[in-house]
């Protein structure tokens, strides 16, 4: 080791491990811990070497701002505490913020309709995904709520459209329909012998009257055909 290395280590030890009489009444060793590690300790004790906030632009800005100084929107700062302590404080505040909406929403939600979509058996793989997450659309003009979804494995060539009136006491006809994409997409009648089948990659409402779908040819071959189609609800 060079003299420079020794000096560096000595300076480090002097700075971080010198005796601290003011800590004698506390648990543990009577030395300052390394300044980074103290922030990561999962304990409520004050930091041994709290940061020096003098000259910090953010603190100076808050101190000189009459509107922000006492603002309840700013999360309080604990310069004497570790990050674990601050994390727990923030989690408690977030839980308090979410508890009331959760109670109100939970009490207001009730089952409007129940439809059996498919059956599974105990022997089947519990991780098998049969239901693709839906796309939701609300037609404010007609007060009708739509749900688009696909059923995987059994009917990949179909998309399902569920519609319900936003007033749960009312019902609409044809609450659930399935649309299948098949050989009718061929360019001419002569192609009908080549029965092509398409599966839906994605489907979203384009507007209140139109659905946009992305289809792919289901045959196992290179260069599968992709089709972007617009489907009128009528």
């Amino acid at each position: 080791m060079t003299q420079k290395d020794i000096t560096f280590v000595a300076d480090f030890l002097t700075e971080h491990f010198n005796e601290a009489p003011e800590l004698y009444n506390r648990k543990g060793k009577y030395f300052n811990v390394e300044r980074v590690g103290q922030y990561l300790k999962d304990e409520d004790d004050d930091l041994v070497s709290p940061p020096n906030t003098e000259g910090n632009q953010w603190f100076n800005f808050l101190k000189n701002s009459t509107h922000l100084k006492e603002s309840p929107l700013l999360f309080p700062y604990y310069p004497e505490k570790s990050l674990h302590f601050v994390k727990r404080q923030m989690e408690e505040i977030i839980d308090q913020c979410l508890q009331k909406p959760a109670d109100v929403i939970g009490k207001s939600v009730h089952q409007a309709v129940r439809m059996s979509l498919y059956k599974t058996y105990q022997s089947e793989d519990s991780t098998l995904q049969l239901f693709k997450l839906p796309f939701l659309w609300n037609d404010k003009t007609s007060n009708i709520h739509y749900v688009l979804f696909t059923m995987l494995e059994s009917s990949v060539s179909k998309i399902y459209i569920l519609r319900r009136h936003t007033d749960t006491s009312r019902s609409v006809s044809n609450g659930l329909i399935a649309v299948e994409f098949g050989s009718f997409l061929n360019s001419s009648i002569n192609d009908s012998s080549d029965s092509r089948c398409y599966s839906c990659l994605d489907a979203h409402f384009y507007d209140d009257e139109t659905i946009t779908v992305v289809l792919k040819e289901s045959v196992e071959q290179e260069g599968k055909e992709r089709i972007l189609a617009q489907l009128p609800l009528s």
Side-chain angles (χ1 to χ4, degrees):
M1 297 179 64
T2 64
Q3 186 61 39
K4 185 178 180 180
D5 295 331
I6 297 174
T7 303
F8 177 79
V9 174
D11 289 343
F12 179 86
L13 295 175
T14 302
E15 181 180 0
H16 296 291
F17 294 95
N18 55 329
E19 288 195 28
E22 68 275 9
L23 303 178
Y24 285 173
N25 60 347
R26 295 180 54 173
K27 297 179 181 178
K29 298 178 179 178
Y30 307 131
F31 299 99
N32 288 333
V33 298
E34 199 276 320
R35 291 184 177 178
V36 175
Q38 64 177 344
Y39 290 102
L40 306 179
K41 288 187 175 181
D42 191 5
E43 56 188 31
D44 292 338
D45 293 338
D46 292 345
L47 296 178
V48 176
S49 300
N52 181 13
T53 58
E54 185 178 352
N56 184 292
Q57 293 181 346
W58 172 248
F59 290 114
N60 291 339
F61 171 70
L62 292 182
K63 186 177 179 180
N64 298 325
S65 172
T66 55
H67 299 289
L68 292 177
K69 189 185 302 182
E70 304 297 334
S71 173
L73 300 178
L74 289 178
F75 191 79
Y77 176 60
Y78 304 94
E80 306 287 334
K81 299 295 184 180
S82 71
L83 293 178
H84 280 281
F85 176 86
V86 176
K87 174 176 175 288
R88 283 197 302 273
Q89 293 289 108
M90 181 174 287
E91 286 175 343
E92 290 176 5
I93 293 177
I94 293 175
D95 288 341
Q96 292 174 8
C97 293
L98 297 179
Q99 188 59 48
K100 185 66 174 179
D103 292 341
V104 174
I105 294 172
K107 292 175 181 177
S108 65
V109 171
H110 64 278
Q111 180 177 296
V113 63
R114 179 176 179 269
M115 294 183 180
S116 179
L117 297 178
Y118 59 84
K119 292 182 179 179
T120 58
Y121 301 95
Q122 297 258 342
S123 59
E124 291 185 3
D125 183 4
S126 60
T127 61
L128 184 65
Q129 183 186 15
L130 296 177
F131 183 80
K132 190 175 181 182
L133 289 178
F135 176 77
L136 310 178
W137 179 267
N138 184 251
D139 183 351
K140 294 181 176 61
T141 304
S142 305
N143 294 326
I144 294 178
H145 194 66
Y146 290 92
V147 184
L148 285 179
F149 62 93
T150 56
M151 301 282 290
L152 306 178
E153 303 297 333
S154 58
S155 53
V156 292
S157 62
K158 297 178 184 177
I159 64 168
Y160 294 83
I161 306 173
L162 169 68
R163 68 175 186 173
R164 293 288 301 174
H165 204 285
T166 52
D167 181 357
T168 55
S169 63
R170 300 178 57 183
S171 62
V172 292
S173 58
N174 297 326
L176 178 65
I177 63 170
V179 180
E180 183 166 12
F181 302 96
S183 57
F184 68 89
L185 285 170
N186 293 334
S187 56
S188 69
I189 288 217
N190 296 331
D191 294 335
S192 59
S193 58
D194 179 18
S195 56
R196 299 183 182 183
C197 186
Y198 294 87
S199 59
C200 182
L201 286 176
D202 201 5
H204 282 211
F205 267 80
Y206 179 75
D207 55 29
D208 288 341
E209 302 174 350
T210 312
I211 296 173
T212 299
V213 293
V214 179
L215 306 171
K216 74 170 180 177
E217 204 170 358
S218 299
V219 292
E220 293 294 333
Q221 66 180 26
E222 290 294 327
K224 292 180 182 178
E225 195 171 38
R226 299 292 193 275
I227 294 178
L228 179 69
Q230 295 220 293
L231 177 72
L233 275 179
S234 59

